[in-house]
Amino acid sequence: IAIELAGSRMKEGELTCSERLKVVDGLSLIPQCGILHNDIRNGNILVWHSGNEFQIYFIDFERSRYTSDEAELTKEMTKLKRLLRLPLDSHDNK
């Protein structure tokens, strides 16, 4: 249902560098709430393109949990950057 409503599964090879950085920005919002998604993979990131608009949606929070462990949160961000084929120091989280 989510794919039908929100977009298609992310294919990192089809995203521009700017779009990849927007995905990183999107994930960086989740730990600000103290949440570890805990299942970062292409199938759990939906992308939607319409003209110049680009939106992302993170889905499947079944494995997510609250945490204040910065090492876990950093590890998840590193995993996303590797998935997106971005250099690990390519983007400072705000």
Side-chain angles (χ1 to χ4, degrees):
I1 294 172
I3 292 171
E4 291 295 322
L5 297 175
S8 59
R9 290 187 170 142
M10 181 185 76
K11 296 176 184 157
E12 72 282 345
E14 296 177 3
L15 300 178
T16 66
C17 185
S18 174
E19 290 169 342
R20 291 173 193 212
L21 293 175
K22 287 180 183 179
V23 174
V24 172
D25 280 343
L27 181 65
S28 71
L29 297 174
I30 297 170
Q32 288 177 12
C33 299
I35 298 172
L36 180 72
H37 184 281
N38 217 21
D39 193 15
I40 295 298
R41 56 189 169 94
N42 286 349
N44 288 337
I45 304 170
L46 303 181
V47 297
W48 179 80
H49 287 100
S50 179
N52 291 333
E53 288 188 58
F54 173 75
Q55 294 182 6
I56 57 150
Y57 302 92
F58 290 89
I59 63 170
D60 192 2
F61 282 80
E62 181 180 347
R63 296 181 183 173
S64 67
R65 61 184 171 82
Y66 287 106
T67 186
S68 59
D69 186 335
E70 289 295 321
E72 285 184 313
L73 298 170
T74 300
K75 184 177 178 181
E76 185 164 83
M77 188 61 68
T78 299
K79 183 176 181 177
L80 177 65
K81 288 179 180 179
R82 284 190 175 128
L83 179 68
L84 292 168
R85 299 180 188 153
L86 289 170
L88 298 182
D89 61 351
S90 67
H91 193 264
D92 293 329
N93 295 326
K94 298 175 184 174

